[in-house]
Amino acid sequence: VSTMFHDGNHPEHVSLQGKIGAGEWFEIVPKTKMDGHSLWRVELATVTPPITHLRVMQYPDGGLSRLQVFEDLPEDVKKHFTKTPSVT
């Protein structure tokens, strides 16, 4: 998640939710503190099934520049990502 060029009007916290088809929304990444004008890289601690829908929750609403989601990353790139706590 990127808040680049949003410093002062960025969301204080962000969480990610997903769902599979017409199923219920579930938490992928818990509510996490954000900084302005920064990149937040996170690797999921647990494997999820293929997700068809993503929802970004902002607390409060603010400026996000970009959301990028990857199925898999090369090992040399993973070192730049923070591992999330397990979400149940």
Side-chain angles (χ1 to χ4, degrees):
V1 177
S2 172
T3 60
M4 297 303 283
F5 308 106
H6 295 283
D7 195 8
N9 66 335
H10 62 280
E12 292 178 23
H13 296 86
V14 168
S15 68
L16 295 177
Q17 297 178 345
K19 74 176 185 171
I20 302 166
E24 297 291 319
W25 288 100
F26 58 92
E27 188 173 70
I28 299 170
V29 178
K31 189 174 177 180
T32 304
K33 183 164 178 30
M34 298 294 294
D35 294 319
H37 194 63
S38 64
L39 272 176
W40 175 51
R41 296 176 175 144
V42 63
E43 179 184 355
L44 299 181
T46 56
V47 175
T48 63
I51 296 167
T52 58
H53 298 76
L54 285 173
R55 179 163 61 184
V56 179
M57 306 296 290
Q58 302 178 68
Y59 313 92
D61 189 21
L64 290 180
S65 301
R66 179 168 295 158
L67 171 68
Q68 292 179 305
V69 180
F70 303 96
E71 182 178 0
D72 199 13
L73 293 170
E75 288 301 318
D76 63 324
V77 175
K78 283 185 181 182
K79 66 184 175 189
H80 300 289
F81 285 69
T82 303
K83 199 76 134 168
T84 63
S86 295
V87 176
T88 56

